[in-house]
Amino acid sequence: MFLSSLWTPESTSLLMKTWDKMTDLSSSSFFSDFGLLLYLEELNKEELKKFKLLLKNEAMEAGGCPIPWAEVKKAKREDLANLMKKHYSGEQAWDVALKLFGKMNVKDLYERAKAEINWAAQAMGPDNTRAGEAQGDQETVLGDGTEYRIQIQEKFCIMRNRKCLLGEPKDFRHEIAEEGGKVLEQLFDVDVKTGEQPQIVVLQGAAGVGKTTLVRKALLDWAQGNLYHQKFTYIFYLNAREINQLRERSFVQMISKDWPSTEGPIERIMSQPNSLLFIIDSFDELTFAFEEPEFALCEDWTQVHPVSFLMSSLLRKVMLPESSLLVTTRLTACKKLKPLLKSQHSVELLGMSEDAREEYIYQFFEDEKLALQVLDLLRNNEMLFSMCKVPLVCWVICTCLEQQIKKGGDIRLTCKTTTALFTCYISSLFTQVDGSCPNLPNQTQLKRLCHLATKGVWTMTHVFYRENLRKHGLTKSDVSVFLDMNILQKDIEYENCYEFTHLHIQEFFAAMFYMLKDSWGITDCSSQSFEDLKLLLESNSHRDPHLMQMKCFLFGLLNEDRVKQLEETFNCKMSLEIKWKILQWMKILGKSEHFSSQLECLELFHCLYETQDEAFISQAMRYLQKVVINIYGKIHLLVSSFCLKHCQGLQTIKLSVVFEKMLNLSPPAETCLESCGLTVAGCQDLSLALTSNKRLTHLCLADNNLGDDGLKLVSDALKHPQCILQSLVLRRCHFTSLSGEHLSSSLLHNKSLTHLDLGSNWLQDDGVKLLCDVFLHPSCNLQDLELMGCVLTSACCQDLASAILNNPNLWSLDLGNNDLQDDGVKILFEALRHPNCNIQKLGLAYCGLTSFCCQDLSSTLSSNQRLMKINLTQNTVGCEGIMKLCEGLMSPECKLQVLGLCKEAFDAEAQKLLEAVRVSNPHLVIKQDCNDHNEEDGSWWQCF
């Protein structure tokens, strides 16, 4: 806590000495010219610092910034008083100061200042009564939890201002905060499917995409009253780097570090855990094994335990099970986290969008022509352009290319592979702008750094503490060398924490370890398992995703130009004997019966492409006799074609081309991308294919997580005049009623689409109403609409009835697996009896129908001359309903050809009636749904 100084006789004397000078001044002038300075003099160093920070926040909250922060930060007490006098009116300056004293909890100072104001106001006249008004403000500021919120604001504002990684784009944190605001608002929204608010949310993403920035923004926004104020009374932040350095304590002690004593005992808020949110930041950095059996975990948050037990108890919901959790982690640690959580809602941060990356590159390179050239080169290398999703990596890549341009180098070669680019960047760290070299690390220091990097990548350790550095022989002076070169960085928030400036930098030095290992003569039998090259070569992305970039860098470092560049940079000799070892491994691999999966082939091709050494690739590929390749992106096409042209001994090749980006390669007229992992990220390419391909008429996208954003892109493509699609299946694509507007707009503009399957999506009545409005327009050409399992009720039936009455094109409608009930279908049957209705096929399976609707249906069957097929399976119409239904079926006016009913589900009397119908109407087929055709998987009547 910040403690105020005591009110001393000296200060009283000083005030009295100035009184004579002030008797002729107004109260406003008194407080601004003299009184404020006297009170600022009473603040100690820490309190003055806190006052300045609060003054900065006060200006921001007020919607402006009247005092430049640079001036406030360096101002002494007298200068600060003058600044406040300059930028605020006298009374306003004192109001602000008094409010800040209250926020700082310097109650004695606040009370005396208020008393002095009142006393001075009475002595100088009744007109000045600002102090009384300020008291009301103070009572508003102080309250339950206010001090904790203030403390959180101060701490995380400081963190936000101080935290700046190497070369981080100047406006990155602001941009991330702006883009992440919507993400944060929706994290704990009620799930539309379950109707429940998620209790555990996992925010996952690659290194550097902004996970920590986002959750700290959440905490800061909550403290400022802008986020979650109706969901959570208190939010506590737990960071892995701090937790790792703790030993034994109680959970309440862990979260008390930011708890002000003026708030009272923290234990009182723990009695309402359902209003608490705990943020666990950087789960992937926790060094705990989490192997404790559940019966050994602790429920009591007041008991002292090892911190690993406390974290395991919190995550597994043994302790404070009613509380909510927000956990951030890298994708590579998800397998470790998932078994600990009983349920979770996962959100992946993807980093900068393609548009954001493009905008950043244009901002970085002021020359628009140059920016366009760089952008084109990066787009041609999907690996590099994908890396640019991480703002820091985007900066690294742009910086490296800028340096190459200034040197007159060929940036096309630099952009060819990730290894080429990072080799240039690493080399630049060892060379100053004037061409001189900094204090270069010696061979021993480099060896130890590479060993640290390699073990870290293998064990997914990216934060190193002093004991980690000592175990690898890195002294304080060794570390200083790499800190000065921006290869390592020290965490400015948590003591004793070090890390590489980015994960890719660590992976690069880890790959160098294998290149330098032979020249260092590390051959003793005590070497650790991760030093075994064979283990790295045998790794794959399914089992070891965290090793893939290191493996890729290793192959890239086999290029002789890269080797020469690094030898000059590090003043060392790198052995290329590793090439022979890899070729020996390739020889064994080629004889293996297990090497045939497309995953292994593609990953091997990626690695070989990274070498850009055609002679080496020819040697390596001669051992392969069979390859299986599944092309699902341009990068796969690039690396596969590059490697396959060097195949001489290849006997068998199995090649398939799928995925959304390959649609641009002249797909067949009927293309199925069902369950192919298509997400919103791929819909941009898909929409381009829909507008540019002249053959694609039938497209199935079922079982892909497109969501509302993805469907908007597809809908926009449907509106394009060049789109000739006739049939579109969007079953189980995870969109909601929000997509109704996009779909309806596309149906108005599209002239070719006749079949649309929207089954098993959360479309609901509101979404269907928007679609039905389109059918009132004669320009809508849709003929076959499938809405099975779209969470519809009887409330939408009036809109559906209007649609089938007013649009002569619509002749097939499947509404199965919706809760329409008797009241709803009665409205539909009334529309079916109208002479304008052209419906020939109607699906009503599993719609909650009973015998009460059968009389209306019977009447419809007797009068409708167009209805050919109707599905009533999985409804409890009963024997009474069958009797009513048979009246219509036996009518000579009934033209029905197919009736979906399970005769065996009825009693003997009803079956006898149905048999009589079959005899009297031999053209009518009565049969239940086909056994091999799931009722949610499309048109029931296509089985007949």
Side-chain angles (χ1 to χ4, degrees), residues 15 35 43 73 118 157 414 418 545 584 688 742 774 791 892:
L15 178 61
L43 299 176
K73 187 176 181 181
N118 289 334
C157 276
T414 308
T418 57
Q584 289 299 109
L688 180 62
H742 306 310
V774 177
V791 201

Side-chain angles (χ1 to χ4, degrees), residues 122-139:
Q122 292 172 5
M124 296 179 184
D127 296 331
N128 206 323
T129 59
R130 301 293 298 172
E133 296 173 11
Q135 182 178 4
D137 292 341
Q138 168 63 10
E139 289 172 354

Side-chain angles (χ1 to χ4, degrees), residues 75-94:
K76 296 181 180 179
R77 288 170 176 81
E78 184 175 355
D79 297 330
L80 186 59
N82 289 333
L83 282 171
M84 291 184 71
K85 172 190 173 183
K86 176 182 176 181
H87 290 276
Y88 293 107
S89 65
E91 294 179 353
Q92 187 185 6
W94 192 253

Side-chain angles (χ1 to χ4, degrees), residues 131-148:
E133 296 173 11
Q135 182 178 4
D137 292 341
Q138 168 63 10
E139 289 172 354
T140 302
V141 171
L142 296 177
D144 187 34
T146 302
E147 287 298 314
Y148 175 65

Side-chain angles (χ1 to χ4, degrees), residues 787-792 814-821 825 843-850 871-877 900-901 929 935-936 940:
L787 297 172
M788 298 185 71
C790 286
V791 201
L792 309 182
D814 197 343
L815 301 171
N817 200 26
N818 287 295
D819 191 25
L820 304 183
Q821 300 188 354
V825 296
L844 294 174
Y846 204 73
C847 285
L849 308 185
T850 71
N871 186 7
L872 299 175
T873 57
Q874 301 296 319
N875 288 293
T876 55
V877 295
L901 266 183
D929 202 0
E935 65 183 0
E936 289 184 9
W940 161 84

